[in-house]
Amino acid sequence: MKRKLIVDLEPVGRRGEANEDTSLLDVAQSVGVEMASVCGGEGWCGKCRVRLISGILSPLTEDEKNAISRDDIQSGYRLACQSKPLSDVKIDIPPETLTTTQRLQLEGVGSDPYRDGFDPIVKSIDLQLNAPHLEDLESDLTRVCNGINSSGATTLHADLPVLRNLSHQLRSQAWSLRLAVFQDEIIGVFPSGSLLVGLAVDIGTTKMAAYLVNLENGETLAKGGLTNPQVVYGEDVVSRIAFANQSEENRKILQYKLVERLNELTAYLCGQAGVKQDQIVEVSVVGNTAIHHLFLGLPVRQLGEAPYIAAVSNSVHVRASDVGVFASPGAYIYMPPNIAGFVGADHVSMLLASGILAKQKAVVALDIGTNTEISLYVPTGAGSGRLLSCSCASGPAFEGAHIHDGMRAMPGAIEKVQIHEGAIRIHTIGDALPVGLCGSGILDAVAEMRRVGFLDSAGRIKKDIPGMRPTKNGGEFVLVPAGKTGHGRDVIVNRKDVNEIQLAKGAIRAGIEVLLTLTGISYEDIDEFIIAGAFGTYLDVENAVRIGMFPSISLNRFKQVGNAAGMGARLLLLSQKEREKAEQIARQVEYIELTTHLNFTNVYVDALNF
Amino acid sequence: MKRKLIVDLEPVGRRGEANEDTSLLDVAQSVGVEMASVCGGEGWCGKCRVRLISGILSPLTEDEKNAISRDDIQSGYRLACQSKPLSDVKIDIPPETLTTTQRLQLEGVGSDPYRDGFDPIVKSIDLQLNAPHLEDLESDLTRVCNGINSSGATTLHADLPVLRNLSHQLRSQAWSLRLAVFQDEIIGVFPSGSLLVGLAVDIGTTKMAAYLVNLENGETLAKGGLTNPQVVYGEDVVSRIAFANQSEENRKILQYKLVERLNELTAYLCGQAGVKQDQIVEVSVVGNTAIHHLFLGLPVRQLGEAPYIAAVSNSVHVRASDVGVFASPGAYIYMPPNIAGFVGADHVSMLLASGILAKQKAVVALDIGTNTEISLYVPTGAGSGRLLSCSCASGPAFEGAHIHDGMRAMPGAIEKVQIHEGAIRIHTIGDALPVGLCGSGILDAVAEMRRVGFLDSAGRIKKDIPGMRPTKNGGEFVLVPAGKTGHGRDVIVNRKDVNEIQLAKGAIRAGIEVLLTLTGISYEDIDEFIIAGAFGTYLDVENAVRIGMFPSISLNRFKQVGNAAGMGARLLLLSQKEREKAEQIARQVEYIELTTHLNFTNVYVDALNF
C-alpha cells in the first residue's frame, strides 16, 4: 500500500493527507480549510486558484489551461479541484481563494492613540502665492519657501520627488496649495484642503495590521489586517532567513511579497477612508528584527547565524519609494530602533504603547509568539528605572504549529476548552464545527488535562482515563470524536503536543525568572503583568498560571492589552515626543542574551514541569 | 520573412542594419553615429544631409526637395531622416552632418583646481573593528559608528544603499574597512586602501566634459568629453524644451540619453584611471538651467514659456541613483544654484573658477553660446561689490548653425580667416580640406570682410569685389571655391550669414552695455574681461573687438580661460568653502532681465552695426 502524501496548506498552516486520487480541494476540505468554488469542483469557474510552492502535482488539465493565464501558469498557479498531489506538496492559497480568514487582533486596549499632546510628525502648511512675472522671477521652490517663511518657518528644502511635481502643481492649482513639511523638508505638495494622512503598520511573523491615521486630529480612519505573505516561505523567521540565504533572488521575493501585500492592504484602507494613496505623507512600520530587515531589503545572513547581529539597530528613516511602499512620492518610513537580533522594533513599539518608562512600579511586559520578547521594568526612584529585555525561543506551538491538530486562529479552531466532571466543553471561533486547535485552545486543553489529573507533573498522559488511546509515542487523548468535528476525523491531543506546550511555557517562564534574578526582585513584587499580541488577548490567564507559564500572582495584576505594537506604531506618527520615547526605550534597555546566562539551562529545565 | 538590409556608414566605417521602415537617421543612431538634427527627424531643418554612394533608397520626399538644392540632389544628397533603404546601401556622412568628432574644450587656464586649502567634500575614514560575539552584540552600523566615534567624529547615520551592503562588506573584509563619510552620513563602505574619487561634470548644450578627481589629493585622474546626445532632439535648449513638452516620454528620453551618455563617458574615464565606477563617492554637475532640469528629470514647461521660471534655483544635493548616474550606491550629486531661467549653474561654476568675488577691480565674465551669460562685478570697497548677471539670446551662429556653410568645430571646419591684399588665407581644424565654417571662422570671415571694406557698416556685401556673387538676397562671397574644398562645393559667406553675426554680436554687446549702465561705469573701467567656453577659447579677440562684439579696451585686459565651468565643477568636489562661495555668488548676484530693461531695444539696435 502506498503511503499517504502530505499536503501543507499555507498561509493557514494546516496539514492534510492525500493519495493520488485526492484533489487539493478535497484535501483542503478534509481539514476544514474552505476555498472559493462556484462550480463545485468541475473545473470551469476558476475560483479555486492556488499556487504550488514545492512538490509535484498531476499534469495541467485543459480546464486549467483555459482558466489560468499563461503567466500565472508559469508562476505555478493551478486549480485546486483539478490538481492532485504526486508527492508531498506545499500549496499557497491566495487570499481571494481562501474564504475563511484568520482572526486578527487589530486593536489595543484603550481608545486614544496619543497622550502627550498632539504634535504630528508631518505638518501641513497652506499657501496662496502670487504668480511669477517678468519682474518677479523667483524659482518655484524659492517662491514656496519664501511663502512659508513669511509664515515664520525656517529654511526649507525639497528633494527630487517633490521638485518633479512642484511646477505643474503650482500652475494647475492657481498658486494655491497645501504643503506637507517634515522638519526642514517639503515632502509633499497637494491641492488646498487635502487631508494629510499617516500609515501605521505592524508586521508580525504571521500577520500584518495597518492603520490609516488622520494627521490633523489623530483619528484612525481605517484599519485592517492580512496574513504575512512570507508565511509560505517559512513559518518562522529562522526558516525565512534560511530561505533568504539560499539566493539573492529569494531574499528579494520575501521583500517584494511583503511590500506588495502591504500596498494591497493600504489601497483597500484608502478606499475605506476615501483618501488617495498619495495623501499618505508618513509611514511608521514596526516588526521584529528579521521582518524589519526583510522589509527594508537589508541582509539577514548575519541575523541567522550566531551571534545573530542586526545590520542596524538605530531607528531608520527612509523614503517609502526606496522600499517600494506606495505613498506620496516624498513620504518617508520611520522604523523605531531594534534592541537586538531577536528583540525588535515591534517590542519597542509595544513598550512605548504600554508607557512602561513612566511606571512607578515593577512591570513585566511580554509579547508571545514563536519568539517571545519579555521586558521587566523596575523603578529605581526619581523617575528612573532599569529596563531589561530578553527573547526566548517559545516555538510555534501557540500559533498552532507542531501540534497534531493545531491550526491558526480561524473559524473552526477550538479556542476554549473546559473539562468538567468528565465532560469536555469546547468553544470554536465562529461557532463552527471543530476542525483543530488554535494556540489558546491547546493551552486550555493541556491546562485542563493537568487540572483534572489526566497529565502527571512531567506531562505524561495517564492511562486508564476516558478518551485516552495508547500509541507508540505516549498515547493520545480524544478531545472531540470524529462524529462531532467538521471534517469527520478526531481532534486529539497527544503526548508530543503536551511536550510542545511544556517547551514553550518553560522557555517563557525561564525568561521571566532570569530577568527577576538579575534585578533582584521576586515574582510577588511584579505589580503589573502586561500581555500583548493576538494570542495574548485570547489566552486564559488562569490556565497560563496553572501550567506555570506565568508566575502565580494575583490575577488582577495581569493586563491583556491586545495589539499594543500597532497602537505604538500609530503613536509614532502622532507625536515627535513619542518617537523620542521610543529612542529612549531602546537606549535604556539592557538586553539579556539568555543563552549566555549561566543559570538559564537550569531554570529552563525546572520550568518544564507542571 | 525579409532579411535585414545592410547600411554602411562612411567615412566612420560603421555598419548598421535596417528594414524598410527604418530611416538612415535611425540606423546611424542605432550604431552610435550621431548626426546633426535640429528638428528631431521631422524633415524641415535640413541638417542631416547624407550622400548615397551605392544602393537604392526610398523615393525623394517633398521635404527633401525643399531642403536640398537641385544640384545636390543630382549628386546624391538626401536627408537621413527621410530616406529608408530599399537595398543594402552605402552612405557618406559629410563632416558638417557628423557630430561625433567635435572638438571639445576640456581644460581651463591654470593647472591647480583648488585654491583655498584641500578640504574634500567626502572624507575617508579607515577602521579596524572587532568581530561581534555573544557578549558583544552591537548591530553592524552601531559598531561602525562607535568605531568612528572613538576616532572623534560625531553621530553618524546611513541610508539604505549603504545598509544593504554593510553587513556583507564587514564580514568579507574581516572587519577592516574604509568609509566614505559626507557630513554626518556614511555614504560608502570600501575595502581598506580603496581610493575614493569624485566625478565633476560640465554639461553644455552641445558638449559634455567629465573629470575624475582623486579625493585624497585633488588631482585630476582622467578627463574626457563627448557630444551632448540631446543634440539630435534639438540643437538649442529652446527646441529641446519644445520636444520635451510634446510628451512625458520625450522628456524622459532627453534625461535618459544624457545620463546614459554620461555613464558611458564615466565608465571610459574609470577605465583610464584604473578605478571602479563604485569608487565614485561624490558627483558635481554644472549646466545651464534647462540642461540642469532635464538632467534631474525636473519639468521644463515653465522654463519654455514667459516668464521662464526655474523649478528650483537653490543648489540641489540628490542621490546619484535617483538620477540614474552610476556611482557608489550611496553617492550624491551636487549641483550649484541656478541664477535664473537662462543663467544657470554652469555660469555660477564659471564665476566660481574665475574667483570673481575676490577681485579688487571691475571684471566682465562671459560664456558665449546660443545664450550668452554675462556677468559684471564692480567692487564697492571693503571686500564687497556688486555682481550683475544677464543672459542674451545670441543665437546659434557661433555654434555654426543658421550659417549657410556653418558647422561645428571639427576637422574640416575653417577656424581662422585672414584677407591680406586680396588673398584669402584660411586655417582648418585638423588641417583638413575645408568643408565649412565653425564659430570662430565665421566671426573671422565677417571681421576681415569688414576690415578690408567688403562690408559696409550695416553689413551689406559690397558689389564689384572679387569673389562676390549677386543673389536675390543680398549677394554671397566665395571664401573657398569648390575646387579647393573637401566636398567639392563652394564655401561661401552670404548676406544672411553676416546678419546672423550682427544679431549675435549685437545681443552680446547690448547685454554688456546694459550692465555697465546699471553700475554707472564705462567700458574703459573694465580691468579684466574674462571669456570662457570653447568658442571663447578659439575666437580672435581683436576681430571680436573690431566687429563691436566686445568693447574697445586694451587687448591685454582680455583673458580667454577655456572651460572654466568644468574647472569650477572640480572645485565643487574639493572644498566645502568653494561650495559656500558658489552659494554666495548665487545669493549676491543681481539678475537683470534684459527684455524688461527700458533701454535694451535701443542699445541692441545701436549695437547691430559695425
Side-chain angles (χ1 to χ4, degrees):
Chain A
M1 198 193 86
K2 283 188 182 167
R3 79 169 177 93
K4 294 283 188 178
L5 301 172
I6 292 172
V7 178
D8 281 313
L9 300 167
E10 299 294 356
V12 289
R14 289 290 286 165
R15 173 171 283 190
E17 287 181 341
N19 56 40
E20 288 172 21
D21 291 324
T22 322
S23 75
L24 293 176
L25 188 63
D26 297 335
V27 175
Q29 285 170 350
S30 75
V31 293
V33 174
E34 287 174 24
M35 290 188 198
S37 170
V38 173
C39 67
E42 294 194 9
W44 53 262
C45 80
K47 289 286 179 191
C48 62
R49 283 160 50 102
V50 296
R51 197 170 61 80
L52 179 65
I53 300 168
S54 61
I56 305 164
L57 293 176
S58 55
L60 274 172
T61 66
E62 284 306 311
D63 284 334
E64 289 180 286
K65 289 176 190 163
N66 292 332
I68 310 175
S69 73
R70 186 177 295 248
D71 279 354
D72 283 350
I73 286 173
Q74 291 285 336
S75 305
Y77 279 94
R78 301 293 300 266
L79 296 184
C81 68
Q82 300 292 302
S83 30
K84 296 164 188 170
L86 301 182
S87 73
D88 291 351
V89 292
K90 184 181 264 196
I91 301 294
D92 177 32
I93 310 172
E96 65 274 17
T97 303
L98 197 64
T99 57
T100 47
T101 51
Q102 191 174 3
R103 184 169 66 187
L104 294 165
Q105 181 63 23
L106 289 175
E107 274 308 333
V109 172
S111 58
D112 187 357
Y114 57 96
R115 294 177 303 226
D116 275 355
F118 183 60
D119 174 31
I121 297 304
V122 175
K123 317 283 187 218
S124 70
I125 297 179
D126 291 309
L127 285 181
Q128 173 61 57
L129 300 168
N130 296 319
H133 53 86
L134 278 171
E135 306 201 338
D136 178 7
L137 294 171
E138 283 168 336
S139 74
D140 290 334
L141 179 63
T142 302
R143 186 171 303 274
V144 166
C145 289
N146 290 347
I148 296 172
N149 284 333
S150 70
S151 342
T154 51
T155 319
L156 287 155
H157 62 100
D159 203 354
L160 286 179
V162 166
L163 291 176
R164 285 174 178 159
N165 283 322
L166 181 65
S167 298
H168 173 69
Q169 296 242 22
L170 282 169
R171 286 163 182 80
S172 65
Q173 293 162 29
W175 304 89
S176 166
L177 68 165
R178 171 165 288 186
L179 299 176
V181 177
F182 170 80
Q183 292 176 357
D184 60 353
E185 182 176 352
I186 300 168
I187 61 167
V189 185
F190 299 91
S192 294
S194 300
L195 180 65
L196 304 187
V197 301
L199 175 68
V201 184
D202 168 32
I203 309 176
T205 306
T206 57
K207 288 163 283 186
M208 56 200 286
Y211 312 81
L212 269 192
V213 179
N214 179 330
L215 290 182
E216 287 176 22
N217 61 18
E219 274 175 19
T220 300
L221 297 167
K223 60 195 169 192
L226 287 174
T227 302
N228 181 331
Q230 296 175 330
V231 160
V232 300
Y233 304 98
E235 292 233 325
D236 52 46
V237 295
V238 173
S239 51
R240 281 179 224 170
I241 290 173
F243 177 79
N245 287 346
Q246 283 166 19
S247 71
E248 188 60 11
E249 195 192 347
N250 279 8
R251 199 180 55 71
K252 286 184 175 160
I253 286 173
L254 289 181
Q255 186 195 21
Y256 174 74
K257 291 284 178 187
L258 190 54
V259 171
E260 180 190 40
R261 187 61 53 88
L262 174 59
N263 286 336
E264 290 165 5
L265 176 56
T266 308
Y268 169 79
L269 296 181
C270 285
Q272 296 279 304
V275 300
K276 291 183 194 156
Q277 229 157 332
D278 73 359
Q279 288 171 250
I280 299 170
V281 292
E282 180 81 4
V283 182
S284 64
V285 179
V286 304
N288 64 49
T289 310
I291 295 289
H292 168 287
H293 279 37
L294 289 171
F295 176 73
L296 290 176
L298 299 180
V300 291
R301 188 173 299 278
Q302 79 292 341
L303 257 189
E305 299 162 351
Y308 313 107
I309 299 297
V312 56
S313 53
N314 291 348
S315 63
V316 295
H317 202 241
V318 298
R319 270 215 198 285
S321 58
D322 283 350
V323 183
V325 170
F326 295 161
S328 174
Y332 285 93
I333 296 172
Y334 174 80
M335 299 185 80
N338 293 309
I339 293 171
F342 288 101
V343 183
D346 54 347
H347 191 62
V348 172
S349 182
M350 181 274 245
L351 294 175
L352 175 71
S354 76
I356 199 162
L357 289 186
K359 301 280 185 185
Q360 305 295 322
K361 50 193 179 180
V363 181
V364 166
L366 48 73
D367 194 341
I368 301 169
T370 306
N371 279 283
T372 296
E373 299 91 15
I374 309 170
S375 285
L376 170 64
Y377 180 74
V378 182
T380 53
S384 64
R386 285 183 75 186
L387 178 62
L388 281 70
S389 296
C390 68
S391 164
C392 52
S394 41
F398 294 132
E399 309 274 354
H402 296 192
I403 300 295
H404 185 277
D405 284 322
M407 65 184 286
R408 298 239 168 82
M410 44 193 206
I414 298 168
E415 60 166 346
K416 290 279 172 208
V417 177
Q418 281 183 306
I419 307 180
H420 188 68
E421 295 179 359
I424 296 166
R425 295 183 195 163
I426 60 161
H427 181 257
T428 62
I429 296 174
D431 288 321
L433 284 175
V435 291
L437 290 144
C438 68
S440 59
I442 183 72
L443 185 145
D444 271 11
V446 170
E448 286 289 279
M449 287 166 69
R450 170 65 183 149
R451 186 179 62 82
V452 300
F454 292 1
L455 302 176
D456 69 13
S457 68
R460 283 182 288 257
I461 302 176
K462 291 188 184 161
K463 292 166 186 164
D464 310 323
I465 55 168
M468 160 68 186
R469 275 199 303 244
T471 66
K472 280 184 295 187
N473 299 313
E476 61 188 29
F477 177 72
V478 180
L479 201 64
V480 188
K484 293 184 175 176
T485 63
H487 50 24
R489 292 185 287 118
D490 297 336
V491 172
I492 61 136
V493 176
N494 65 21
R495 173 65 205 270
K496 184 173 157 294
D497 297 341
V498 176
N499 284 164
E500 292 285 344
I501 297 302
Q502 285 176 286
L503 291 169
K505 71 100 181 178
I508 293 169
R509 181 61 180 271
I512 297 168
E513 291 298 325
V514 167
L515 296 189
L516 290 171
T517 305
L518 286 169
T519 51
I521 68 170
S522 86
Y523 66 81
E524 289 92 347
D525 299 323
I526 302 170
D527 295 303
E528 190 176 338
F529 195 108
I530 297 170
I531 310 159
F535 170 64
T537 303
Y538 293 102
L539 69 78
D540 185 303
V541 170
E542 196 171 358
N543 279 338
V545 171
R546 182 170 291 132
I547 64 168
M549 183 160 91
F550 297 156
S552 178
I553 56 175
S554 167
L555 289 184
N556 61 21
R557 296 190 189 174
F558 288 96
K559 206 168 146 189
Q560 289 167 282
V561 298
N563 189 343
M567 183 173 283
R570 278 175 285 173
L571 287 172
L572 293 168
L573 289 178
L574 295 175
S575 155
Q576 186 59 41
K577 276 191 191 152
E578 298 290 342
R579 288 200 181 175
E580 285 157 17
K581 275 190 218 166
E583 309 273 348
Q584 175 62 24
I585 287 169
R587 268 196 307 275
Q588 189 166 337
V589 78
E590 302 167 48
Y591 172 70
I592 307 303
E593 175 59 45
L594 290 181
T595 55
T596 60
H597 190 269
L598 282 180
N599 283 324
F600 178 72
T601 311
N602 294 339
V603 177
Y604 181 42
V605 171
D606 285 350
L608 290 178
N609 285 339
F610 292 118
Chain B
M1 202 193 82
K2 285 186 181 170
R3 78 172 178 90
K4 292 282 187 181
L5 302 172
I6 291 172
V7 178
D8 281 313
L9 300 166
E10 299 296 353
V12 287
R14 295 282 292 171
R15 173 169 283 190
E17 285 184 341
N19 56 39
E20 292 177 18
D21 290 320
T22 321
S23 75
L24 293 176
L25 188 62
D26 295 333
V27 175
Q29 284 173 352
S30 74
V31 296
V33 173
E34 285 184 8
M35 293 188 195
S37 169
V38 173
C39 66
E42 293 196 7
W44 53 262
C45 80
K47 287 289 176 190
C48 62
R49 284 160 49 103
V50 296
R51 198 170 58 82
L52 180 65
I53 300 171
S54 63
I56 305 166
L57 292 175
S58 55
L60 274 172
T61 66
E62 286 304 311
D63 285 331
E64 289 180 285
K65 289 176 190 165
N66 292 331
I68 310 175
S69 73
R70 189 176 295 249
D71 279 357
D72 283 349
I73 286 175
Q74 291 288 335
S75 305
Y77 278 93
R78 299 293 300 266
L79 296 186
C81 68
Q82 298 293 303
S83 29
K84 297 165 187 170
L86 302 182
S87 73
D88 293 352
V89 292
K90 183 178 269 193
I91 301 295
D92 178 37
I93 308 172
E96 65 273 20
T97 303
L98 196 64
T99 61
T100 359
T101 57
Q102 194 173 2
R103 182 169 65 186
L104 294 165
Q105 179 64 20
L106 287 176
E107 273 309 332
V109 172
S111 59
D112 187 355
Y114 57 94
R115 296 177 302 226
D116 276 355
F118 183 60
D119 173 29
I121 298 302
V122 175
K123 317 283 188 217
S124 70
I125 298 179
D126 290 309
L127 284 180
Q128 174 62 58
L129 299 168
N130 295 318
H133 52 85
L134 277 172
E135 305 198 341
D136 178 6
L137 294 171
E138 283 168 336
S139 74
D140 290 335
L141 178 63
T142 303
R143 185 171 305 274
V144 165
C145 289
N146 289 347
I148 295 172
N149 283 333
S150 70
S151 343
T154 50
T155 319
L156 288 155
H157 63 99
D159 202 354
L160 285 178
V162 167
L163 291 176
R164 284 174 177 157
N165 283 321
L166 181 65
S167 299
H168 173 69
Q169 297 241 25
L170 282 168
R171 286 163 182 81
S172 65
Q173 292 163 28
W175 304 90
S176 165
L177 69 167
R178 170 164 289 187
L179 299 177
V181 177
F182 170 80
Q183 292 176 353
D184 60 353
E185 182 177 350
I186 300 169
I187 61 167
V189 185
F190 299 91
S192 296
S194 301
L195 180 64
L196 304 187
V197 301
L199 174 69
V201 184
D202 168 31
I203 309 177
T205 305
T206 57
K207 290 162 279 187
M208 56 200 286
Y211 311 82
L212 268 191
V213 179
N214 179 331
L215 290 182
E216 286 175 23
N217 60 16
E219 275 175 17
T220 300
L221 297 167
K223 60 194 170 195
L226 286 174
T227 302
N228 181 332
Q230 296 173 332
V231 160
V232 298
Y233 303 99
E235 292 232 325
D236 52 45
V237 294
V238 173
S239 52
R240 281 179 225 170
I241 290 174
F243 178 78
N245 287 346
Q246 282 166 18
S247 70
E248 186 61 12
E249 195 191 347
N250 279 8
R251 198 180 56 70
K252 285 184 176 159
I253 286 172
L254 290 180
Q255 185 194 23
Y256 175 74
K257 290 284 177 186
L258 190 55
V259 170
E260 180 190 40
R261 187 59 50 89
L262 173 59
N263 286 336
E264 290 165 8
L265 176 55
T266 308
Y268 169 79
L269 296 180
C270 284
Q272 296 281 304
V275 300
K276 291 183 193 154
Q277 229 157 333
D278 74 358
Q279 286 171 250
I280 299 170
V281 292
E282 180 81 3
V283 183
S284 65
V285 179
V286 304
N288 64 47
T289 311
I291 296 290
H292 169 286
H293 279 39
L294 289 171
F295 176 72
L296 289 177
L298 298 181
V300 291
R301 189 172 297 279
Q302 78 294 339
L303 258 188
E305 300 163 353
Y308 314 108
I309 299 297
V312 57
S313 53
N314 291 347
S315 63
V316 295
H317 202 243
V318 298
R319 267 210 200 290
S321 58
D322 284 349
V323 183
V325 170
F326 294 160
S328 174
Y332 285 93
I333 295 172
Y334 174 80
M335 299 185 82
N338 293 308
I339 292 172
F342 288 101
V343 182
D346 54 349
H347 190 61
V348 171
S349 183
M350 182 275 245
L351 295 175
L352 175 73
S354 76
I356 199 162
L357 289 186
K359 301 282 185 186
Q360 306 295 321
K361 50 192 178 180
V363 181
V364 166
L366 49 73
D367 193 342
I368 302 170
T370 306
N371 279 283
T372 295
E373 299 91 15
I374 308 170
S375 287
L376 171 63
Y377 180 75
V378 181
T380 53
S384 64
R386 283 183 76 188
L387 179 61
L388 280 69
S389 296
C390 67
S391 164
C392 51
S394 42
F398 295 132
E399 308 277 352
H402 295 195
I403 300 295
H404 185 277
D405 284 323
M407 65 184 288
R408 297 242 169 80
M410 48 192 191
I414 298 168
E415 59 167 347
K416 290 277 172 209
V417 177
Q418 282 182 306
I419 307 180
H420 189 65
E421 295 178 1
I424 296 165
R425 296 184 193 161
I426 60 162
H427 182 256
T428 62
I429 297 175
D431 289 321
L433 283 174
V435 289
L437 289 145
C438 68
S440 57
I442 183 72
L443 186 145
D444 271 10
V446 170
E448 287 288 279
M449 287 166 70
R450 171 65 183 150
R451 185 178 63 80
V452 300
F454 291 2
L455 301 177
D456 69 13
S457 68
R460 283 182 289 259
I461 302 178
K462 291 190 185 159
K463 291 166 188 165
D464 311 322
I465 55 168
M468 159 69 185
R469 276 199 304 241
T471 66
K472 280 184 295 187
N473 299 312
E476 61 187 29
F477 177 74
V478 179
L479 202 65
V480 189
K484 294 184 175 176
T485 62
H487 50 22
R489 292 184 285 123
D490 296 336
V491 172
I492 62 135
V493 176
N494 64 22
R495 172 69 203 267
K496 185 174 158 292
D497 296 342
V498 177
N499 285 163
E500 292 284 345
I501 297 302
Q502 285 176 284
L503 291 169
K505 71 102 182 175
I508 293 169
R509 181 60 180 272
I512 296 169
E513 292 298 325
V514 167
L515 297 188
L516 290 171
T517 306
L518 286 169
T519 51
I521 68 171
S522 85
Y523 67 80
E524 290 92 347
D525 300 325
I526 301 170
D527 295 304
E528 189 174 341
F529 195 108
I530 297 171
I531 309 159
F535 170 64
T537 303
Y538 294 102
L539 71 77
D540 185 303
V541 171
E542 196 171 358
N543 280 337
V545 171
R546 182 170 293 132
I547 64 168
M549 183 160 90
F550 297 156
S552 177
I553 56 176
S554 166
L555 288 185
N556 61 19
R557 296 190 190 174
F558 289 94
K559 206 167 146 191
Q560 289 168 281
V561 298
N563 190 344
M567 183 172 284
R570 278 175 285 173
L571 287 172
L572 293 168
L573 289 178
L574 295 175
S575 155
Q576 185 59 43
K577 276 191 193 152
E578 297 291 344
R579 288 199 181 177
E580 284 156 19
K581 276 190 219 165
E583 309 272 349
Q584 175 64 25
I585 287 169
R587 267 196 308 275
Q588 189 167 336
V589 77
E590 301 167 51
Y591 172 70
I592 307 302
E593 174 59 43
L594 291 181
T595 55
T596 61
H597 189 268
L598 281 180
N599 283 325
F600 178 71
T601 312
N602 294 340
V603 177
Y604 181 42
V605 171
D606 285 350
L608 290 177
N609 284 340
F610 292 118

